[in-house]
Amino acid sequence: MVAQAVQTASEPAQEAGEERQLVILKVGEESYGIPIGAVQEIIRMQRVTPVPGAAASGIEGILNLRGRIIPVMDLRKALGQIPEDHPDRCITVVEQEGTTLGLIVDGVTEVLRVDQRSVEPPPAMVSTGAGYVNGIIKLEDRLVTELDLGALLSAFGVV
């Protein structure tokens, strides 16, 4: 479920700027990064109990996490993708502005060290979701979209 790799996307060490770590989430065929400090834990997919009316705010339902009831959001739906079952689906438990929330994702692949200068702003013509996209990270084999977790959750009225 979680790859044991730490990859670096940066300039040469002598020119390195501010570096941070992102947890890379797989949603469909795309990779999204969120700050490692926001991630509390990654748990196996389990039954989410629907709550009447919660779907309107983007919440799939709730789950009991060791005695704590937390809301759960399907990141695939939040990002406008068609919901599908995936064999590696899991729940990434995050905390943002004092709110604990589960994010259903198709997998967690790695922790990525990112030099701030390797993050490019999203293209101006990309308006959908631009409010919660911090930037685009170019790797040799793919692009990773860095999400602004606070803005994403605010857009759905979660925080």
Side-chain angles (χ1 to χ4, degrees), residues 112-130:
L112 182 66
R113 293 181 192 269
V114 177
D115 184 304
Q116 179 58 39
R117 293 176 299 165
S118 69
V119 179
E120 296 185 15
M125 66 190 91
V126 179
S127 60
T128 304

Side-chain angles (χ1 to χ4, degrees), residues 85-125:
D85 279 334
H86 192 279
D88 295 327
R89 285 192 104 186
C90 60
I91 298 174
T92 304
V93 180
V94 298
E95 184 173 337
Q96 185 67 36
E97 299 177 24
T99 300
T100 302
L101 175 82
L103 297 174
I104 299 173
V105 297
D106 293 336
V108 177
T109 60
E110 64 192 303
V111 173
L112 182 66
R113 293 181 192 269
V114 177
D115 184 304
Q116 179 58 39
R117 293 176 299 165
S118 69
V119 179
E120 296 185 15
M125 66 190 91

Side-chain angles (χ1 to χ4, degrees), residues 47-64:
R47 185 179 182 285
V48 175
T49 303
V51 175
S57 66
I59 299 296
E60 283 293 300
I62 55 174
L63 76 95
N64 183 345

Side-chain angles (χ1 to χ4, degrees), residues 7-9 26 29 31 110 112 137-144:
Q7 186 175 353
T8 303
K26 199 73 168 160
E29 295 299 316
S31 297
E110 64 192 303
L112 182 66
I137 303 159
K138 289 192 302 186
L139 301 177
E140 289 180 23
D141 58 340
R142 69 187 192 279
L143 297 175
V144 175

Side-chain angles (χ1 to χ4, degrees), residues 6-106:
V6 174
Q7 186 175 353
T8 303
S10 66
E11 308 265 328
Q14 68 269 21
E15 298 178 20
E18 181 183 333
E19 185 178 88
R20 60 188 189 277
Q21 293 182 328
L22 300 176
V23 174
I24 305 305
L25 310 174
K26 199 73 168 160
V27 179
E29 295 299 316
E30 304 304 320
S31 297
Y32 297 91
I34 60 173
I36 195 169
V39 177
Q40 290 188 337
E41 62 185 300
I42 300 161
I43 60 175
R44 293 177 191 205
M45 191 62 198
Q46 50 189 274
R47 185 179 182 285
V48 175
T49 303
V51 175
S57 66
I59 299 296
E60 283 293 300
I62 55 174
L63 76 95
N64 183 345
L65 182 64
R66 291 183 299 283
R68 290 178 55 202
I69 303 301
I70 64 168
V72 178
M73 170 187 269
D74 188 332
L75 196 54
R76 191 181 263 270
K77 287 181 183 178
L79 296 173
Q81 296 186 20
I82 297 170
E84 289 180 16
D85 279 334
H86 192 279
D88 295 327
R89 285 192 104 186
C90 60
I91 298 174
T92 304
V93 180
V94 298
E95 184 173 337
Q96 185 67 36
E97 299 177 24
T99 300
T100 302
L101 175 82
L103 297 174
I104 299 173
V105 297
D106 293 336

